[in-house]
Amino acid sequence: QERTVPTNQIALSSLAPLPSSVIMTQYYHFNEHVFRSDVKDALLSVEKILEADRRPLLAEEVHHKYENKFQLANGMTNLAIVAQMNVLERLGLTPEIIRQLGDTKTKTTTLRFEASESYEFLKEQTVDVEDPYSTETVTKSSTSIGSSMFNSSSSTIRKVINKVQEFHWTVKTHWEITVFSGTEVEKRITLQSRDASIVVITQSRGALLEKMKIYPALDLNLTWLLKQIDMETRATTFTIDTTKAKTPRRNEQVEEAMGFFCNRMKSWLAQLKRHFTTKLQPIISKTHNPAIPPPSHPERLASQCSAGDLFQPILPLLEETDIKDDGSEDDQPLILDGGDNTDEPQSVSTLALPSGNNNGQDEKLECRLLSGKDTIQLLNEQVQSIDTKLKSLNEVFPASHQMKLFSIAEATVFLLLDHSEHLCVQYQHAIGYLETMLEKQLVAAIGKRVTNDDLEEFVRFHNAKFLTIPPRPFCHAIGRPNRFPYGVLSIESKGDSDNTTPIETMLRPVQMSTPLEVPLNAATTLQLTGNTYLHGWMHQRSERGGTNKSFQLSARARQFSSFMLVIGTMAGPNKLNPKDAIILQNKDEVLIPLLLEEIPSAKEFKDAIESLSPEQQRFAKSFRGMQLESSVFGVAVIQIKPQLEALLGLPEDSLAKEIKLTEDLMELFVEYQVPSDLLSYDDLAGTPASASASEKVDSVRENVKAVLDVIEGTKEKQLEEKTMVADMAIASGVTAMLSPDQQLQMGINRYDIVEEASADINFRSSGALARESKKKKSKARRKAAPSPMPPPPPAGAAPPAPKPVMLSAAIPLAQQNIPAPPTEVAKPLSNAEGKGQSPDSEAFSESDVLPSQAVDFTSIPKKLDSTIEKFDKDSTLRSTKLKTKDTWSRKRQPDLLTKPDTKTLWAKDVKSESNKAYDLLDAISRSGSLPIAYSDLHVVVCVTHCFEKDVMATVVEDNVNPIEKLEMSTLLLGSAIHGATPMELIAEGSDRVRFQSSFPVMLEAEESVDC
């Protein structure tokens, strides 16, 4: 049902104002301490005004309904209008003058203040000024007469008289307050004005150089105020449209009233007061400087003309009554002119609430606003307080002050300005009190003030019951099925307390029909045939009052385990563009901070390009399409040990317990970049049963040992060569005539040569030696004839035993001529093979797996954006792009006997780690020819629900239920992720009915968001 609040009418013929104490810079700010102090004083006066048995209270102390708050806002706004008109009427803006202005509903009405000053040199004179300090000289003498001595003394007082030059000026001041309609300034009507002329004395000729000073005009637009008044009935007409209002405080009508009273009018009043206190007052207090100062300072308007003690009628008061509204005279509209009853005040419409209906239940206490008669009595008290104050000012500023700078005219204007400013602040506090009361009642109902963290915790709990497929924490184990995991991958949120919590995402596995391509460079493209998971992350934040949360991608490896991360963005249905990569092994922990870059909503985008040219619009649309497509975040997890088994020709799980062998293989691939063909098992017979799993592992172990022996032998030989060169140089006596410094410069010191050789060996063994000797060996290879192929074994002969790999210690590893195996064609794995499955993938049924034909990851944000544009009318849901920061953090334990230490990886370190990972990926995939089966791809589509305010402000100020808004956003995202309609995603039937009533437009669309 629509709430209707009757228009409140208050007669203008008995108008009056009120005070305040603190002037706020922001009109929407509510100072509860000042407000309660003012109300406490005002209630004492109210008790005297009303009958003895009447006891109105603040609204929070009276049982009432939500509609009563709208009536309070209506009543207090009308009171503020009447009170301000009381002030303006005493400034000269009477109803008769308003009628002279013409149609105030269609034309603007402006109240203008103008002021000017003129200075004219009058005369120059010299004044004798007595110095306050004087000197006294006492002269003593003695006289003898006969035998008697008589002493006498005399004193002389010397005073200093200073000659001071005085300059007399005639200062004329003028100010006026006028009103005019539209742009008819020449037809303005003067409400108040005064010309004053005084003599100002200075002791410097240059003290007043300006001859004329004209201040800028100060204008106040009264159009809104006069529109709220019906001049025919002389009554206010303000009312709130409750059908469109958010709350009693947050609605168009009250916002306009707050904008006028607490912003424009209060600013205009403050400027006028400053003119009297900071422009006119200094003429006397600072400029006037006679040689003989006056006996006392002139009067000060701010202290003598303060309106702080005037009555304040704008009060949010309610009354409890146990008598039903039976249409008594207090609640009925009063006769317009009082009729024949002269004791009756002028007529106004009632401010009381409609009588309640208890449907036969126990009669409860009802509440009502103050009646029209009570309101008039309060306004009359306000008028009386103004008149009393003005009479007291006549004693302070008598008629003799007419020739002075400040007279009763300035005192009256300043008092009315100060009183009007207090009215603005009082209205600000009274309206703000309604909103504060709502918040306190909500906190009392819940038991605490709900924060954004509380809402997030509730949403986690609520989604578990609300959705048929609830979100899951983004925390996934890395490893083979039914095996202890190698590590954990998670996306975590981090608050102010440094506690981390995994985010929750909507998760759906995706069956890929073609391998995922990861281009490492122009020549190498990885092929991942493992599992793929599509995640939908519903992120929420508040622009005001939210906690400072950060997000990070966390990866942790267990002891004697290793895997790789490849991070990038999806570039198509089966392509991941890598940005960074890193190897994790032996309890490494890497924290990668994530940046959330929000893309403007579809409605914001449309509004922004509406006035652009067609070419500019096409450019913006193309760029936005690129933004949406590149917003899909991808993380690939590659298990190293299973891929080593496939690379070296070993059975599955054959390296599961070969810790030392795995460590050696990692060292050879990462540090020395040894070709995998030198280490793999070669089945020369070509029969699968030629060797057992342990024999194959032993063969690889022998190959690894052979390569390590070659590396060690190369190191020792190069060290011996360097040592021999140093010994020969020392033995030949060449260095006998050289000083030690020269020997060091020439590099022929034996110990330095040996040390240099050791470092050089380490460098050359990793591939540098091959590059150094490339020129020397190239000629020999070109001259050498190709070796003939061995003849095939005779029929029926036993297959020859596999020969150990023999490597020449004289030729560097990179120079060994070993033929490469034939290229293998990548084949996608079926679900039956299950080679990329993570330990928690068994929780999904086949119906949960999204067919690959329906998946184009880069198109999901576009389809989701169009759905958001259709249903999210508030532009609160925005597509979000995930990006990694350039600065990472890694915790590593160098060895088993030391504690882990944390190191910051800067951009150059991240680049170095990525290069190492790419080199290893190139090696274990044979430059992309060998598919990687044991891998997991996590694709993340993120959207952000943006609240303009915190949780309490969203509920209290905007009258919005954030839970329902998040439900709608979650269902929109869930439809895109799971390919289902919103109704299919809601678990309970009662929630379906509730959601359909809250968002009927959304559920009218039968088609689902197709992924």
Side-chain angles (χ1 to χ4, degrees):
Q1 265 188 335
E2 294 182 355
R3 298 185 301 269
T4 57
V5 180
T7 301
N8 299 285
Q9 296 184 342
I10 300 177
L12 294 180
S13 55
S14 58
L15 305 176
L18 81 82
S20 87
S21 52
V22 177
I23 305 302
M24 304 298 174
T25 56
Q26 298 293 334
Y27 69 85
Y28 51 82
H29 179 69
F30 171 65
N31 190 324
E32 185 174 5
H33 175 73
V34 175
F35 170 75
R36 291 188 178 277
S37 177
D38 291 344
V39 169
K40 182 179 179 181
D41 297 336
L43 283 176
L44 297 177
S45 300
V46 171
E47 292 177 359
K48 299 177 182 178
I49 298 170
L50 303 179
E51 291 81 358
D53 57 345
R54 303 282 297 281
R55 190 172 177 267
L57 301 172
L58 275 175
E60 64 182 15
E61 302 175 11
V62 180
H63 179 74
H64 63 278
K65 297 181 180 180
Y66 185 64
E67 286 77 7
N68 302 143
K69 295 181 174 65
F70 279 97
Q71 293 181 331
L72 277 172
N74 263 329
M76 291 188 298
T77 305
N78 281 283
L79 276 171
I81 294 171
V82 173
Q84 291 289 3
M85 287 304 299
N86 280 335
V87 176
L88 294 177
E89 185 177 6
R90 280 151 183 78
L91 282 175
L93 188 62
T94 61
E96 291 73 17
I97 292 181
I98 295 177
R99 292 190 185 94
Q100 293 179 22
L101 295 173
D103 188 3
T104 57
K105 304 289 185 180
T106 58
K107 288 186 178 181
T108 61
T109 304
T110 304
L111 196 63
R112 172 170 291 183
F113 175 82
E114 295 177 296
S116 63
E117 300 171 7
S118 62
Y119 307 93
E120 181 180 354
F121 181 72
L122 186 60
K123 65 178 179 178
E124 176 183 353
Q125 70 179 16
T126 302
V127 180
D128 295 337
V129 180
E130 181 179 331
D131 196 295
Y133 301 99
S134 59
T135 59
E136 182 178 1
T137 304
V138 179
T139 305
K140 296 182 179 181
S141 61
S142 59
T143 305
S144 62
I145 300 177
S147 60
S148 300
M149 295 292 295
F150 297 94
N151 296 325
S152 62
S153 62
S154 60
S155 61
T156 304
I157 298 176
R158 292 183 173 85
K159 295 183 178 180
V160 178
I161 303 299
N162 296 320
K163 300 290 186 179
V164 179
Q165 291 292 115
E166 285 187 342
F167 301 91
H168 293 240
W169 307 79
T170 300
V171 178
K172 296 181 180 180
T173 62
H174 169 78
W175 60 264
E176 65 179 10
I177 300 176
T178 58
V179 64
F180 58 90
S181 176
T183 58
E184 300 174 352
V185 183
E186 65 280 356
K187 296 182 180 180
R188 62 183 181 269
I189 303 174
T190 301
L191 305 180
Q192 295 282 344
S193 67
R194 183 170 183 264
D195 293 290
S197 178
I198 61 172
V199 175
V200 175
I201 302 174
T202 65
Q203 298 183 24
S204 172
R205 182 65 182 264
L208 298 175
L209 297 178
E210 297 183 65
K211 294 185 178 180
M212 189 71 179
K213 183 184 295 184
I214 300 177
Y215 295 100
L218 302 177
D219 290 347
L220 173 62
N221 192 333
L222 293 176
T223 305
W224 178 88
L225 181 65
L226 297 180
K227 281 184 177 181
Q228 312 306 316
I229 302 172
D230 185 355
M231 295 307 301
E232 294 182 1
T233 60
R234 299 178 67 180
T236 59
T237 60
F238 177 86
T239 186
I240 298 175
D241 185 1
T242 56
T243 60
K244 299 179 181 180
K246 294 180 179 179
T247 67
R249 163 64 181 86
R250 307 289 169 170
N251 54 79
E252 182 180 356
Q253 291 74 32
V254 172
E255 289 288 351
E256 290 179 352
M258 294 287 285
F260 176 78
F261 288 128
C262 309
N263 187 14
R264 299 190 298 274
M265 188 173 191
K266 189 171 73 171
S267 175
W268 184 79
L269 295 168
Q271 292 183 72
L272 263 65
K273 288 173 57 179
R274 283 198 298 270
H275 174 80
F276 288 105
T277 57
T278 63
K279 298 295 190 299
L280 294 184
Q281 189 78 42
I283 296 177
I284 301 299
S285 60
K286 295 181 179 180
T287 306
H288 185 58
N289 184 23
I292 302 176
S296 62
H297 249 309
E299 57 281 349
R300 294 185 178 274
L301 291 178
S303 59
Q304 297 177 342
C305 304
S306 174
D309 55 346
L310 300 184
F311 178 69
Q312 305 178 15
I314 308 177
L315 302 171
L317 301 180
L318 292 175
E319 271 191 303
E320 290 182 347
T321 175
D322 54 356
I323 303 176
K324 287 188 176 181
D325 188 3
D326 56 358
S328 62
E329 60 177 5
D330 283 347
D331 292 334
Q332 294 297 322
L334 302 180
I335 304 301
L336 181 63
D337 56 359
D340 297 333
N341 189 356
T342 57
D343 296 332
E344 194 71 40
Q346 290 189 345
S347 169
V348 295
S349 295
T350 180
L351 295 179
L353 295 175
S355 59
N357 185 9
N358 55 14
N359 297 325
Q361 299 177 3
D362 294 338
E363 192 174 274
K364 297 183 179 180
L365 291 178
E366 298 178 358
C367 71
R368 65 176 184 179
L369 277 70
L370 297 181
S371 66
K373 180 179 178 180
D374 298 334
T375 304
I376 293 299
Q377 290 178 340
L378 296 181
L379 291 171
N380 289 342
E381 176 65 20
Q382 180 199 15
V383 173
Q384 184 179 356
S385 65
I386 294 177
D387 296 338
T388 303
K389 184 70 175 182
L390 290 177
K391 289 180 181 179
S392 64
L393 290 180
N394 285 323
E395 299 177 0
V396 180
F397 297 88
S400 58
H401 280 59
Q402 291 299 324
M403 300 305 297
K404 293 187 177 181
L405 184 63
F406 291 145
S407 66
I408 188 61
E410 284 80 9
T412 301
V413 170
F414 191 90
L415 174 68
L416 295 175
L417 294 176
D418 193 41
H419 183 55
S420 179
E421 189 176 25
H422 288 164
L423 282 174
C424 294
V425 176
Q426 183 66 12
Y427 178 73
Q428 165 190 314
H429 287 171
I431 294 295
Y433 167 76
L434 295 180
E435 194 165 81
T436 303
M437 179 173 54
L438 276 173
E439 182 176 355
K440 287 184 176 181
Q441 291 173 342
L442 187 62
V443 171
I446 298 175
K448 62 175 295 186
R449 181 179 176 85
V450 181
T451 63
N452 291 349
D453 293 337
D454 296 329
L455 178 63
E456 185 174 350
E457 181 181 355
F458 172 83
V459 168
R460 285 174 180 258
F461 170 80
H462 177 65
N463 286 340
K465 300 187 300 181
F466 177 68
L467 300 174
T468 55
I469 309 176
R472 301 185 180 185
F474 193 102
C475 185
H476 301 277
I478 302 169
R480 306 185 190 189
N482 303 320
R483 295 290 187 273
F484 193 78
Y486 297 141
V488 178
L489 175 70
S490 63
I491 296 180
E492 302 169 339
S493 64
K494 183 179 179 181
D496 297 333
S497 60
D498 291 339
N499 294 330
T500 58
T501 305
I503 67 170
E504 287 195 346
T505 61
M506 298 180 180
L507 175 62
R508 178 140 192 205
V510 179
Q511 180 182 349
M512 303 289 289
S513 60
T514 58
L516 175 72
E517 297 181 353
V518 182
L520 299 182
N521 49 54
T524 303
T525 299
L526 298 183
Q527 294 181 345
L528 308 184
T529 59
N531 288 326
T532 301
Y533 301 95
L534 177 61
H535 299 263
W537 180 17
M538 181 70 237
H539 171 238
Q540 66 181 59
R541 69 169 182 86
S542 298
E543 296 184 1
R544 190 185 84 187
T547 56
N548 297 323
K549 276 195 174 182
S550 60
F551 299 92
Q552 60 188 14
L553 180 65
S554 173
R556 301 173 181 87
R558 300 188 184 276
Q559 186 67 52
F560 305 125
S561 302
S562 59
F563 60 89
M564 277 187 290
L565 286 183
V566 180
I567 306 170
T569 56
M570 301 303 297
N574 64 334
K575 186 177 182 181
L576 172 66
N577 281 339
K579 178 181 178 291
D580 300 307
I582 193 169
I583 304 171
L584 291 94
Q585 57 183 343
N586 297 333
K587 298 177 68 174
D588 283 352
E589 180 180 357
V590 175
L591 302 178
I592 305 173
L594 296 178
L595 297 174
L596 276 65
E597 182 180 299
E598 296 178 9
I599 301 174
S601 66
K603 185 176 183 302
E604 292 172 339
F605 176 77
K606 269 192 171 182
D607 295 342
I609 67 171
E610 187 176 4
S611 60
L612 298 181
S613 68
E615 292 77 9
Q616 293 168 342
Q617 289 186 7
R618 290 196 298 270
F619 168 77
K621 291 178 180 178
S622 300
F623 196 86
R624 178 177 174 81
M626 182 273 297
Q627 284 181 311
L628 293 173
E629 290 181 355
S630 63
S631 65
V632 183
F633 185 70
V635 182
V637 182
I638 300 173
Q639 303 175 30
I640 297 177
K641 189 176 292 187
Q643 187 62 20
L644 288 177
E645 295 169 351
L647 176 69
L648 300 176
L650 299 177
E652 289 189 17
D653 285 346
S654 58
L655 294 179
K657 299 180 181 180
E658 297 292 339
I659 298 175
K660 179 66 169 61
L661 180 57
T662 304
E663 295 287 339
D664 292 340
L665 287 171
M666 289 286 294
E667 181 182 4
L668 291 176
F669 283 127
V670 177
E671 298 296 334
Y672 300 106
Q673 300 181 8
V674 176
S676 60
D677 297 335
L678 301 180
L679 307 173
S680 61
Y681 168 76
D682 296 324
D683 190 355
L684 300 180
T687 57
S690 61
S692 64
S694 61
E695 291 175 342
K696 292 181 180 181
V697 173
D698 291 339
S699 175
V700 171
R701 185 182 289 107
E702 291 178 0
N703 294 341
V704 171
K705 184 178 181 303
V707 174
L708 291 176
D709 291 343
V710 170
I711 294 175
E712 188 64 26
T714 304
K715 289 182 179 180
E716 292 178 357
K717 183 177 180 180
Q718 293 180 1
L719 182 60
E720 290 176 359
E721 290 178 356
K722 288 288 185 177
T723 305
M724 184 173 58
V725 171
D727 290 340
M728 291 179 62
I730 295 174
S732 62
V734 175
T735 62
M737 300 180 64
L738 299 177
S739 65
D741 294 339
Q742 291 174 331
Q743 294 180 25
L744 291 174
Q745 292 176 3
M746 294 179 65
I748 57 177
N749 183 280
R750 186 182 187 279
Y751 299 102
D752 291 343
I753 291 176
V754 173
E755 184 178 354
E756 179 185 354
S758 301
D760 190 49
I761 289 171
N762 290 331
F763 174 73
R764 291 172 183 271
S765 63
S766 62
L769 182 60
R771 292 190 295 271
E772 181 180 321
S773 59
K774 184 176 180 180
K775 294 182 180 179
K776 297 181 181 179
K777 300 299 180 181
S778 60
K779 293 182 180 180
R781 289 199 301 271
R782 286 196 296 268
K783 292 180 181 180
S787 59
M789 296 295 292
K803 298 181 181 180
V805 179
M806 301 301 295
L807 301 179
S808 172
I811 303 177
L813 297 178
Q815 301 289 337
Q816 302 285 346
N817 287 327
I818 299 177
T823 303
E824 300 182 16
V825 180
K827 298 180 180 180
L829 296 178
S830 64
N831 280 345
E833 294 175 344
K835 278 192 176 179
Q837 292 183 358
S838 60
D840 57 349
S841 62
E842 298 179 357
F844 298 98
S845 62
E846 292 186 1
S847 61
D848 293 331
V849 179
L850 192 64
S852 60
Q853 296 88 336
V855 176
D856 182 1
F857 299 116
T858 58
S859 66
I860 293 178
K862 280 189 173 181
K863 295 179 180 179
L864 184 59
D865 191 61
S866 62
T867 306
I868 292 173
E869 180 185 4
K870 184 177 181 181
F871 298 110
D872 182 24
K873 303 302 181 182
D874 299 330
S875 298
T876 57
L877 205 58
R878 301 173 183 172
S879 297
T880 305
K881 183 177 181 180
L882 295 181
K883 299 170 62 177
T884 57
K885 283 187 177 180
D886 295 333
T887 304
W888 298 4
S889 174
R890 180 173 63 188
K891 182 185 293 185
R892 168 168 288 181
Q893 187 175 6
D895 52 67
L896 297 177
L897 301 179
T898 58
K899 293 182 178 181
D901 60 338
T902 302
K903 178 184 177 183
T904 300
L905 300 180
W906 304 103
K908 61 178 182 179
D909 301 322
V910 174
K911 183 66 175 177
S912 176
E913 294 292 335
S914 298
N915 291 335
K916 289 181 182 180
Y918 294 153
D919 291 340
L920 180 58
L921 287 172
D922 183 77
I924 64 178
S925 66
R926 292 200 190 108
S927 296
S929 62
L930 179 64
I932 300 177
Y934 286 93
S935 63
D936 292 324
L937 173 65
H938 297 275
V939 180
V940 182
V941 177
C942 179
V943 292
T944 301
H945 192 110
C946 307
F947 292 104
E948 294 182 359
K949 305 167 185 176
D950 61 6
V951 179
M952 296 300 295
T954 301
V955 178
V956 174
E957 297 179 7
D958 297 339
N959 198 27
V960 170
N961 184 354
I963 297 175
E964 292 181 351
K965 293 293 184 180
L966 288 175
E967 285 177 345
M968 184 199 70
S969 301
T970 302
L971 291 177
L972 290 178
L973 179 61
S975 298
I977 298 300
H978 296 294
T981 62
M983 291 295 288
E984 294 173 344
L985 295 176
I986 301 177
E988 299 292 337
S990 59
D991 289 332
R992 294 192 189 100
V993 175
R994 175 182 58 83
F995 192 80
Q996 191 167 9
S997 62
S998 299
F999 303 99
V1001 179
M1002 179 179 175
L1003 297 181
E1004 287 176 0
E1006 296 181 357
E1007 68 277 3
S1008 63
V1009 180
D1010 190 7
C1011 294

